[in-house]
Amino acid sequence: MTRSAETKSVIIFTDGDQTAYRALKEAGDELGLYVLSQSRGNPTPLGGNELIDAVLNAPAEPVVVMADDRGKAGKGAGERAVETLLHDARINVLGVIAVAANTRPVHGVRVDASVTQDAEVVETAVDKQGHPTSDDRLKGDTVDVLDEYSGPIIGLGDPGKMEGHDAIGHGVPVTKEALKEVLQHALHQMS
């Protein structure tokens, strides 16, 4: 997918630890997505301008950008990074993968769908293990700023884990399905 040199298509992924990065890299490579390695970290290591520069200089797109608050309730580095991406006119956010966490208290975010640990798409949120919940609001440490975003938001448990269902080296099927869901929703919105 190629766009104008002035803009880049982005998928936001609200986790940044090493296991999440490895899962995302494995899934992204298979799907032809560019995972921005500079954005990984717990918490997110790049400030707003550095993050935008890294995205705009990425050699391919869509660019998957990781954002992480390191389990902190309230607005942390990851949520500030998400806000930066959502408000920059040079960034076309295709969708967000909202990763569940045990952080409390959080407001959470309403999801369009979620992917369970069995790689099934459901209409409710999921918890950190990838189990469906009775709520449509996913609870996570880096998702509270997403209420203002109108594009697709797909819920996901802990990438690369979920009780072994999303194992690295075994195709990370849950993370891969979440990325596919974002891409399908984005294509549907464009048509």
Side-chain angles (χ1 to χ4, degrees):
M1 180 183 286
T2 306
R3 292 175 49 89
S4 159
E6 289 105 28
T7 65
K8 285 282 174 119
S9 293
V10 165
I11 296 171
I12 298 173
F13 191 88
T14 69
D15 198 353
D17 67 32
Q18 186 62 25
T19 301
Y21 172 73
R22 289 176 55 215
L24 192 54
K25 186 80 172 98
E26 185 172 326
D29 285 351
E30 186 172 328
L31 296 172
L33 307 173
Y34 182 80
V35 179
L36 188 70
S37 62
Q38 301 99 305
S39 67
R40 76 177 169 208
N42 189 347
T44 299
L46 299 179
N49 291 334
E50 294 172 307
L51 182 61
I52 296 298
D53 287 345
V55 169
L56 294 176
N57 288 313
E61 60 183 309
V63 181
V64 183
V65 179
M66 304 180 82
D68 196 312
D69 272 355
R70 194 178 186 183
K72 177 183 173 190
K75 192 183 295 184
E79 284 182 315
R80 286 192 297 275
V82 169
E83 285 181 322
T84 297
L85 292 165
L86 293 176
H87 292 109
D88 195 296
R90 298 166 293 176
I91 304 299
N92 173 34
V93 178
L94 299 177
V96 176
I97 296 177
V99 176
N102 292 329
T103 304
R104 299 287 185 270
V106 294
H107 179 63
V109 66
R110 183 166 278 115
V111 294
D112 294 289
S114 294
V115 181
T116 71
Q117 67 170 225
D118 297 318
E120 294 176 0
V121 179
V122 296
E123 293 181 1
T124 64
V126 291
D127 64 16
K128 186 172 180 166
Q129 298 306 327
H131 299 294
T133 68
S134 59
D135 195 353
D136 65 349
R137 293 193 79 81
L138 179 132
K139 307 294 193 238
D141 63 340
T142 316
V143 302
D144 284 359
V145 297
L146 291 171
D147 275 338
E148 63 188 81
Y149 176 63
S150 60
I153 299 175
I154 305 300
L156 181 68
D158 204 354
K161 299 175 185 170
M162 289 177 264
E163 299 173 330
H165 290 260
D166 198 42
I168 294 162
H170 294 290
V172 290
V174 188
T175 298
K176 191 175 355 175
E177 187 61 34
L179 288 166
K180 286 181 182 176
E181 280 296 306
V182 166
L183 294 169
Q184 287 172 2
H185 276 77
L187 283 174
H188 180 71
Q189 285 186 337
M190 286 187 232
S191 59

